[in-house]
Coordinates of all heavy atoms in Angstrom, one line a residue:
M1175 N 30.3 137.4 107.2 CA 30.5 136.8 108.5 C 31.8 137.3 109.1 O 32.9 137.5 108.4 CB 30.8 135.2 108.3 CG 29.5 134.5 108.1 SD 29.9 132.7 108.1 CE 28.4 132.1 108.5
N1176 N 31.8 137.5 110.4 CA 32.9 138.0 111.0 C 33.8 136.8 111.5 O 33.3 135.7 111.7 CB 32.6 139.0 112.1 CG 31.8 138.4 113.2 OD1 31.6 137.2 113.2 ND2 31.3 139.2 114.0
I1177 N 35.0 137.0 111.8 CA 36.0 136.0 112.2 C 35.6 135.3 113.4 O 35.7 134.1 113.6 CB 37.5 136.6 112.3 CG1 37.9 137.0 111.0 CG2 38.3 135.6 113.0 CD1 39.3 137.6 111.0
E1178 N 34.9 136.1 114.5 CA 34.6 135.5 115.7 C 33.5 134.4 115.6 O 33.5 133.4 116.2 CB 34.1 136.6 116.7 CG 35.2 137.5 117.2 CD 35.5 138.6 116.3 OE1 34.6 138.9 115.5 OE2 36.5 139.1 116.3
L1179 N 32.5 134.7 114.7 CA 31.5 133.7 114.3 C 32.0 132.4 113.7 O 31.6 131.4 114.1 CB 30.4 134.5 113.4 CG 29.2 133.6 113.1 CD1 28.5 133.1 114.3 CD2 28.3 134.2 112.1
I1180 N 33.0 132.6 112.8 CA 33.6 131.5 112.1 C 34.3 130.6 113.2 O 34.3 129.5 113.2 CB 34.4 131.9 110.9 CG1 33.5 132.6 109.8 CG2 35.2 130.7 110.4 CD1 34.3 133.2 108.8
R1181 N 35.1 131.4 114.0 CA 35.8 130.6 115.0 C 34.9 129.9 116.0 O 35.1 128.7 116.3 CB 36.7 131.6 115.9 CG 38.0 131.9 115.3 CD 38.9 132.6 116.3 NE 38.3 133.4 117.3 CZ 38.7 134.6 117.6 NH1 39.8 135.1 116.9 NH2 38.1 135.3 118.4
D1182 N 33.8 130.5 116.4 CA 32.8 129.8 117.2 C 32.2 128.6 116.6 O 32.0 127.5 117.2 CB 31.6 130.8 117.6 CG 32.2 131.8 118.6 OD1 33.2 131.6 119.2 OD2 31.4 132.8 118.9
I1183 N 31.9 128.7 115.3 CA 31.4 127.6 114.5 C 32.3 126.5 114.4 O 31.9 125.3 114.6 CB 30.9 128.1 113.0 CG1 29.7 129.0 113.1 CG2 30.6 126.9 112.2 CD1 29.3 129.7 111.9
L1184 N 33.6 126.8 114.2 CA 34.6 125.7 114.1 C 34.9 125.1 115.4 O 35.1 123.8 115.5 CB 35.9 126.3 113.5 CG 35.9 126.6 112.0 CD1 37.2 127.4 111.7 CD2 35.8 125.4 111.2
L1185 N 34.8 125.9 116.5 CA 34.9 125.3 117.9 C 33.8 124.3 118.1 O 34.0 123.2 118.6 CB 34.9 126.4 118.9 CG 35.1 125.9 120.4 CD1 36.4 125.2 120.6 CD2 34.9 127.1 121.3
W1186 N 32.5 124.7 117.8 CA 31.4 123.8 118.1 C 31.5 122.5 117.2 O 31.1 121.5 117.6 CB 30.1 124.6 118.0 CG 29.8 125.3 119.3 CD1 29.9 126.7 119.4 CD2 29.5 124.7 120.6 NE1 29.6 126.9 120.7 CE2 29.3 125.8 121.5 CE3 29.3 123.4 121.0 CZ2 29.0 125.6 122.8 CZ3 28.9 123.2 122.3 CH2 28.8 124.2 123.2
C1187 N 31.9 122.8 115.9 CA 32.0 121.6 115.1 C 33.0 120.7 115.6 O 32.8 119.4 115.6 CB 32.5 122.0 113.7 SG 31.2 122.8 112.7
S1188 N 34.2 121.1 116.2 CA 35.2 120.2 116.8 C 34.6 119.5 118.0 O 34.8 118.4 118.2 CB 36.4 121.1 117.2 OG 37.0 121.7 116.1
V1189 N 33.8 120.3 118.9 CA 33.3 119.6 120.1 C 32.3 118.5 119.7 O 32.4 117.4 120.2 CB 32.6 120.7 121.0 CG1 31.8 120.1 122.0 CG2 33.7 121.7 121.5
I1190 N 31.5 118.8 118.7 CA 30.4 117.8 118.3 C 31.1 116.6 117.6 O 30.8 115.5 118.0 CB 29.4 118.5 117.4 CG1 28.6 119.5 118.1 CG2 28.6 117.4 116.7 CD1 27.7 120.4 117.2
N1191 N 32.1 116.9 116.8 CA 32.7 115.8 116.1 C 33.6 114.9 117.1 O 33.6 113.7 116.9 CB 33.7 116.3 115.0 CG 32.9 116.7 113.7 OD1 32.1 115.8 113.3 ND2 33.1 117.8 113.2
F1192 N 34.2 115.5 118.0 CA 35.0 114.7 119.0 C 34.1 113.9 119.9 O 34.3 112.8 120.4 CB 36.0 115.6 119.8 CG 37.3 115.8 119.2 CD1 37.8 117.0 118.8 CD2 38.1 114.7 118.9 CE1 39.0 117.1 118.2 CE2 39.3 114.8 118.4 CZ 39.8 116.1 118.0
S1193 N 32.9 114.5 120.2 CA 31.9 113.8 121.0 C 31.4 112.6 120.1 O 31.2 111.5 120.8 CB 30.7 114.6 121.3 OG 31.1 115.8 122.0
V1194 N 31.2 112.7 118.9 CA 30.7 111.6 118.1 C 31.9 110.6 118.0 O 31.6 109.3 118.2 CB 30.4 112.0 116.6 CG1 30.4 110.8 115.6 CG2 29.2 112.9 116.6
L1195 N 33.1 111.0 117.9 CA 34.3 110.0 118.0 C 34.4 109.4 119.3 O 34.6 108.1 119.4 CB 35.6 110.8 117.6 CG 36.8 110.0 117.5 CD1 36.7 108.9 116.4 CD2 38.1 110.9 117.4
L1196 N 34.2 110.0 120.4 CA 34.2 109.4 121.7 C 33.0 108.4 121.8 O 33.2 107.3 122.4 CB 34.0 110.5 122.8 CG 34.1 110.0 124.2 CD1 35.4 109.4 124.5 CD2 33.8 111.2 125.2
L1197 N 31.9 108.7 121.4 CA 30.7 107.8 121.5 C 31.0 106.6 120.6 O 30.7 105.4 121.1 CB 29.5 108.5 121.0 CG 28.2 107.7 120.9 CD1 27.8 107.2 122.3 CD2 27.1 108.4 120.2
W1198 N 31.6 106.8 119.4 CA 31.9 105.6 118.6 C 32.9 104.7 119.3 O 32.7 103.5 119.3 CB 32.5 106.1 117.3 CG 32.8 105.1 116.2 CD1 32.7 103.8 116.3 CD2 33.4 105.4 115.0 NE1 33.1 103.2 115.1 CE2 33.5 104.2 114.3 CE3 33.8 106.6 114.3 CZ2 34.1 104.1 113.0 CZ3 34.3 106.5 113.0 CH2 34.5 105.3 112.4
G1199 N 34.0 105.3 119.9 CA 34.9 104.5 120.6 C 34.4 103.8 121.9 O 34.7 102.6 122.1
L1200 N 33.5 104.5 122.6 CA 32.9 103.9 123.7 C 32.0 102.7 123.3 O 31.9 101.6 124.0 CB 32.1 104.9 124.6 CG 33.0 105.9 125.3 CD1 32.1 106.9 126.0 CD2 33.9 105.2 126.4
L1201 N 31.1 102.9 122.3 CA 30.3 101.8 121.8 C 31.1 100.7 121.3 O 30.7 99.5 121.5 CB 29.4 102.4 120.7 CG 28.2 103.1 121.1 CD1 27.4 103.7 120.0 CD2 27.2 102.3 122.0
F1202 N 32.2 101.0 120.6 CA 33.1 99.9 120.1 C 33.6 99.1 121.2 O 33.7 97.9 121.1 CB 34.2 100.5 119.2 CG 35.0 99.5 118.5 CD1 34.5 98.8 117.5 CD2 36.3 99.2 118.9 CE1 35.3 97.7 116.8 CE2 37.0 98.3 118.3 CZ 36.5 97.6 117.3
I1203 N 34.0 99.8 122.3 CA 34.5 99.0 123.4 C 33.5 98.2 124.1 O 33.7 97.0 124.6 CB 35.4 100.0 124.3 CG1 36.6 100.5 123.7 CG2 35.8 99.3 125.7 CD1 37.3 101.6 124.4
S1204 N 32.4 98.9 124.5 CA 31.4 98.3 125.4 C 30.5 97.3 124.7 O 30.0 96.4 125.3 CB 30.6 99.4 126.1 OG 29.9 100.2 125.2
A1205 N 30.2 97.6 123.4 CA 29.2 96.8 122.7 C 29.8 96.1 121.5 O 29.3 95.9 120.4 CB 28.0 97.6 122.3
H1206 N 31.1 95.6 121.7 CA 31.9 95.1 120.5 C 31.1 93.9 119.9 O 31.0 93.7 118.7 CB 33.3 94.7 120.9 CG 34.1 94.2 119.9 ND1 34.2 92.9 119.6 CD2 34.9 94.8 119.0 CE1 35.0 92.7 118.6 NE2 35.5 93.8 118.2
E1207 N 30.8 92.9 120.7 CA 30.2 91.6 120.2 C 28.9 92.0 119.6 O 28.5 91.4 118.4 CB 30.0 90.7 121.4 CG 31.2 90.0 121.8 CD 32.0 89.3 120.7 OE1 31.3 88.6 119.9 OE2 33.2 89.5 120.7
W1208 N 28.1 92.8 120.2 CA 26.7 93.1 119.5 C 27.0 93.8 118.1 O 26.2 93.5 117.2 CB 25.9 94.1 120.5 CG 24.8 94.6 119.8 CD1 23.6 93.9 119.7 CD2 24.5 95.9 119.2 NE1 22.6 94.6 119.0 CE2 23.2 95.9 118.7 CE3 25.3 97.0 119.0 CZ2 22.7 97.0 118.1 CZ3 24.8 98.1 118.4 CH2 23.5 98.1 117.9
M1209 N 27.9 94.7 118.1 CA 28.2 95.5 116.8 C 28.7 94.4 115.8 O 28.3 94.5 114.6 CB 29.2 96.6 117.0 CG 28.7 97.7 117.8 SD 29.9 99.0 118.1 CE 30.5 99.5 116.5
Y1210 N 29.6 93.5 116.2 CA 30.1 92.5 115.3 C 28.9 91.6 114.8 O 29.0 91.3 113.6 CB 31.2 91.7 115.9 CG 31.8 90.6 115.1 CD1 32.6 90.9 114.1 CD2 31.5 89.3 115.3 CE1 33.2 90.0 113.2 CE2 32.0 88.3 114.6 CZ 32.9 88.6 113.5 OH 33.4 87.7 112.7
R1211 N 28.1 91.2 115.6 CA 27.0 90.3 115.2 C 26.1 91.1 114.2 O 25.6 90.6 113.2 CB 26.2 89.8 116.3 CG 26.8 88.7 117.1 CD 25.8 88.0 118.1 NE 25.0 89.0 118.9 CZ 25.4 89.4 120.1 NH1 26.5 88.9 120.6 NH2 24.7 90.3 120.8
L1212 N 25.8 92.4 114.5 CA 25.0 93.2 113.7 C 25.6 93.3 112.3 O 25.0 93.2 111.2 CB 24.7 94.6 114.3 CG 23.9 95.5 113.6 CD1 22.5 95.0 113.5 CD2 24.0 97.0 114.1
H1213 N 26.8 93.6 112.3 CA 27.5 93.8 110.9 C 27.8 92.5 110.3 O 27.8 92.4 109.0 CB 28.9 94.6 111.0 CG 28.7 96.0 111.4 ND1 28.7 96.5 112.7 CD2 28.5 97.1 110.6 CE1 28.5 97.8 112.6 NE2 28.3 98.2 111.4
G1214 N 27.8 91.5 111.1 CA 28.1 90.1 110.4 C 26.8 89.6 109.7 O 26.9 88.7 108.9
R1215 N 25.7 90.2 109.9 CA 24.5 89.8 109.2 C 24.6 90.3 107.7 O 24.0 89.7 106.8 CB 23.2 90.5 109.8 CG 22.9 90.0 111.1 CD 21.7 90.6 111.6 NE 21.4 90.2 113.0 CZ 20.5 90.8 113.8 NH1 19.8 91.8 113.3 NH2 20.3 90.4 114.9
W1216 N 25.4 91.4 107.5 CA 25.5 92.0 106.1 C 26.8 91.7 105.5 O 26.8 91.5 104.2 CB 25.3 93.5 106.2 CG 24.0 94.0 106.8 CD1 22.8 93.6 106.5 CD2 23.8 94.9 107.9 NE1 21.8 94.2 107.3 CE2 22.4 95.0 108.1 CE3 24.7 95.6 108.6 CZ2 21.9 95.9 109.1 CZ3 24.2 96.5 109.7 CH2 22.8 96.6 109.8
F1217 N 27.8 91.6 106.2 CA 29.2 91.4 105.7 C 29.9 90.2 106.3 O 29.7 89.9 107.5 CB 30.0 92.6 106.0 CG 29.3 94.0 105.5 CD1 28.9 94.8 106.4 CD2 29.3 94.2 104.1 CE1 28.3 96.0 106.1 CE2 28.6 95.4 103.8 CZ 28.1 96.3 104.7
R1218 N 30.6 89.4 105.5 CA 31.4 88.4 106.1 C 32.8 88.9 106.4 O 33.6 89.1 105.7 CB 31.5 87.2 105.1 CG 30.1 86.6 104.7 CD 30.3 85.5 103.8 NE 31.4 84.6 104.2 CZ 31.5 83.4 103.8 NH1 30.6 82.9 103.0 NH2 32.5 82.6 104.2
L1219 N 33.0 89.2 107.7 CA 34.2 89.8 108.2 C 34.7 88.9 109.4 O 33.9 88.4 110.2 CB 34.0 91.2 108.7 CG 33.6 92.2 107.7 CD1 33.2 93.5 108.4 CD2 34.8 92.5 106.7
S1220 N 36.0 88.8 109.5 CA 36.5 88.2 110.7 C 36.6 89.2 111.7 O 36.4 90.4 111.5 CB 38.0 87.6 110.5 OG 38.8 88.7 110.2
V1221 N 36.8 88.9 113.0 CA 36.9 89.8 114.1 C 38.0 90.8 113.8 O 37.8 91.9 114.1 CB 37.0 89.1 115.5 CG1 37.2 90.1 116.6 CG2 35.8 88.2 115.7
E1222 N 39.1 90.2 113.3 CA 40.3 91.1 113.1 C 40.0 92.1 112.1 O 40.4 93.3 112.2 CB 41.5 90.2 112.7 CG 42.0 89.3 113.8 CD 41.3 88.0 114.1 OE1 40.4 87.7 113.1 OE2 41.4 87.4 115.2
Q1223 N 39.3 91.7 111.0 CA 38.9 92.6 109.9 C 38.0 93.7 110.4 O 38.2 94.9 110.1 CB 38.3 91.9 108.7 CG 39.2 91.1 107.9 CD 38.5 90.2 106.8 OE1 37.4 89.7 107.2 NE2 39.1 90.1 105.7
F1224 N 37.0 93.3 111.2 CA 36.1 94.2 111.8 C 36.7 95.2 112.6 O 36.5 96.4 112.6 CB 35.0 93.4 112.6 CG 34.0 94.2 113.3 CD1 32.9 94.7 112.6 CD2 34.1 94.4 114.6 CE1 32.0 95.6 113.2 CE2 33.1 95.2 115.3 CZ 32.1 95.7 114.6
D1225 N 37.7 94.8 113.6 CA 38.4 95.7 114.4 C 39.3 96.6 113.6 O 39.3 97.8 113.9 CB 39.2 94.9 115.4 CG 38.4 94.1 116.4 OD1 37.3 94.4 116.6 OD2 39.1 93.3 117.1
A1226 N 39.9 96.1 112.6 CA 40.9 96.9 111.7 C 40.0 98.0 111.0 O 40.5 99.2 110.9 CB 41.6 96.1 110.7
I1227 N 38.8 97.6 110.5 CA 38.0 98.6 109.8 C 37.6 99.8 110.7 O 37.6 100.9 110.4 CB 36.9 97.9 109.1 CG1 37.3 97.1 107.9 CG2 35.8 99.0 108.7 CD1 36.2 96.2 107.4
H1228 N 37.2 99.4 111.9 CA 36.7 100.4 112.8 C 37.8 101.3 113.3 O 37.7 102.5 113.4 CB 36.0 99.7 114.0 CG 34.5 99.6 113.7 ND1 33.6 100.5 113.9 CD2 33.9 98.5 113.3 CE1 32.3 100.0 113.6 NE2 32.6 98.8 113.2
Y1229 N 39.0 100.6 113.6 CA 40.2 101.4 114.0 C 40.6 102.4 112.9 O 40.9 103.6 113.2 CB 41.3 100.4 114.3 CG 42.6 101.2 114.9 CD1 42.5 101.6 116.2 CD2 43.7 101.3 114.1 CE1 43.6 102.3 116.7 CE2 44.8 101.9 114.6 CZ 44.8 102.4 115.9 OH 45.9 103.1 116.4
A1230 N 40.7 102.0 111.7 CA 41.1 102.9 110.6 C 40.0 103.9 110.4 O 40.3 105.1 110.1 CB 41.2 102.0 109.3
G1231 N 38.7 103.6 110.5 CA 37.6 104.6 110.4 C 37.7 105.7 111.4 O 37.6 106.9 111.2
M1232 N 37.9 105.2 112.7 CA 38.2 106.2 113.7 C 39.4 107.1 113.6 O 39.3 108.3 113.8 CB 38.2 105.6 115.1 CG 36.9 105.0 115.6 SD 36.9 104.4 117.3 CE 37.3 102.6 117.0
A1233 N 40.4 106.5 113.1 CA 41.7 107.3 112.9 C 41.5 108.3 111.8 O 41.8 109.5 111.8 CB 42.9 106.4 112.5
L1234 N 40.8 107.9 110.7 CA 40.5 108.8 109.5 C 39.6 109.9 110.0 O 39.7 111.1 109.6 CB 40.0 108.0 108.4 CG 39.7 108.7 107.1 CD1 41.0 109.2 106.5 CD2 39.0 107.8 106.1
Y1235 N 38.5 109.5 110.8 CA 37.7 110.5 111.3 C 38.3 111.6 112.1 O 38.1 112.8 112.0 CB 36.5 109.8 112.0 CG 35.3 110.7 112.4 CD1 34.4 111.2 111.4 CD2 35.0 111.1 113.7 CE1 33.4 112.0 111.7 CE2 34.1 111.9 114.0 CZ 33.2 112.3 113.0 OH 32.1 113.1 113.3
K1236 N 39.3 111.1 113.0 CA 40.0 112.1 113.9 C 40.9 112.9 113.0 O 41.0 114.1 113.3 CB 40.8 111.2 114.9 CG 41.6 112.1 115.9 CD 42.2 111.4 117.0 CE 43.2 110.4 116.5 NZ 43.9 109.7 117.7
I1237 N 41.6 112.4 112.0 CA 42.4 113.2 111.2 C 41.5 114.3 110.4 O 42.0 115.4 110.3 CB 43.2 112.3 110.1 CG1 44.2 111.5 110.9 CG2 43.8 113.2 109.1 CD1 44.9 110.4 110.0
G1238 N 40.4 113.9 110.0 CA 39.5 114.8 109.4 C 39.0 115.9 110.3 O 39.0 117.1 109.9
I1239 N 38.8 115.6 111.5 CA 38.4 116.7 112.5 C 39.5 117.6 112.8 O 39.4 118.8 112.8 CB 38.1 116.0 113.9 CG1 36.8 115.1 113.8 CG2 37.8 117.0 114.9 CD1 36.6 114.3 115.0
I1240 N 40.8 117.1 112.8 CA 41.9 117.9 113.1 C 42.1 118.8 111.9 O 42.3 120.1 112.0 CB 43.2 117.1 113.4 CG1 43.0 116.4 114.7 CG2 44.5 118.0 113.4 CD1 44.0 115.4 115.1
L1241 N 42.1 118.3 110.7 CA 42.4 119.1 109.4 C 41.4 120.1 109.1 O 41.6 121.2 108.7 CB 42.6 118.1 108.3 CG 43.9 117.4 108.2 CD1 43.9 116.4 107.0 CD2 45.1 118.3 108.1
F1242 N 40.1 119.7 109.3 CA 39.0 120.6 108.8 C 38.4 121.4 109.9 O 37.6 122.3 109.5 CB 37.9 119.8 108.1 CG 38.5 119.1 106.8 CD1 38.5 117.7 106.7 CD2 39.0 119.8 105.8 CE1 39.0 117.1 105.7 CE2 39.5 119.3 104.7 CZ 39.5 117.8 104.6
N1243 N 38.7 121.1 111.2 CA 38.0 121.9 112.3 C 39.1 122.6 113.1 O 39.1 123.9 113.3 CB 37.1 121.0 113.1 CG 35.9 120.6 112.4 OD1 35.1 121.4 111.9 ND2 35.7 119.3 112.4
L1244 N 40.0 121.8 113.7 CA 40.9 122.4 114.6 C 42.0 123.3 113.9 O 42.3 124.4 114.5 CB 41.7 121.3 115.4 CG 40.8 120.6 116.5 CD1 41.6 119.6 117.2 CD2 40.4 121.7 117.5
V1245 N 42.6 122.8 112.9 CA 43.6 123.7 112.2 C 43.0 125.0 111.8 O 43.7 126.1 112.0 CB 44.3 122.9 111.0 CG1 45.2 123.9 110.3 CG2 45.0 121.7 111.6
P1246 N 41.8 125.1 111.1 CA 41.3 126.4 110.8 C 40.9 127.3 112.0 O 41.2 128.4 112.0 CB 40.0 126.1 110.0 CG 40.3 124.7 109.4 CD 41.1 124.0 110.5
Y1247 N 40.5 126.6 113.1 CA 40.3 127.3 114.3 C 41.5 127.9 114.9 O 41.5 129.1 115.3 CB 39.6 126.3 115.3 CG 39.4 126.9 116.6 CD1 38.3 127.8 116.9 CD2 40.2 126.6 117.8 CE1 38.0 128.3 118.2 CE2 39.9 127.2 119.0 CZ 38.9 128.0 119.2 OH 38.7 128.6 120.4
I1248 N 42.5 127.2 115.0 CA 43.8 127.7 115.4 C 44.3 128.8 114.6 O 44.9 129.8 115.0 CB 44.9 126.5 115.7 CG1 44.3 125.6 116.7 CG2 46.3 127.1 115.9 CD1 45.1 124.3 116.8
A1249 N 44.2 128.6 113.2 CA 44.7 129.6 112.3 C 44.0 130.9 112.5 O 44.6 132.0 112.4 CB 44.6 129.1 110.8
L1250 N 42.7 130.9 112.7 CA 41.9 132.1 112.9 C 42.3 132.7 114.2 O 42.3 134.0 114.3 CB 40.4 131.8 112.8 CG 39.8 131.5 111.4 CD1 38.4 131.2 111.5 CD2 40.0 132.7 110.5
H1251 N 42.6 132.0 115.2 CA 43.1 132.6 116.5 C 44.5 133.3 116.2 O 44.7 134.4 116.8 CB 43.3 131.5 117.5 CG 42.1 131.4 118.4 ND1 41.8 132.5 119.4 CD2 41.1 130.5 118.6 CE1 40.7 132.1 120.0 NE2 40.3 131.0 119.6
I1252 N 45.4 132.7 115.5 CA 46.7 133.3 115.2 C 46.5 134.6 114.4 O 47.1 135.6 114.7 CB 47.6 132.4 114.5 CG1 47.9 131.2 115.4 CG2 48.8 133.0 114.0 CD1 48.6 130.0 114.7
V1253 N 45.6 134.6 113.4 CA 45.4 135.8 112.5 C 44.8 136.9 113.2 O 45.1 138.0 113.1 CB 44.7 135.3 111.2 CG1 44.3 136.5 110.4 CG2 45.5 134.3 110.4
A1254 N 43.8 136.5 114.1 CA 43.1 137.6 114.7 C 43.9 138.3 115.7 O 44.3 138.7 116.5 CB 41.8 137.0 115.4

């Protein structure tokens, strides 16, 4: 594999992952009550716990995107 192909793959992975994160955030904001009721069928969570779990999940997902997609992409740009 050449470096340009790997860079393109990492760029598209970043775009797709940030799109998923954006969709997650928009759904969380716009359909919060529906999501809480849906998860409330399976788990006994307060609204505060539900919000904290989603906030932490989104933060962890964003850190993963940065560490595993953006940093290697930038590093390949620097090396090339």
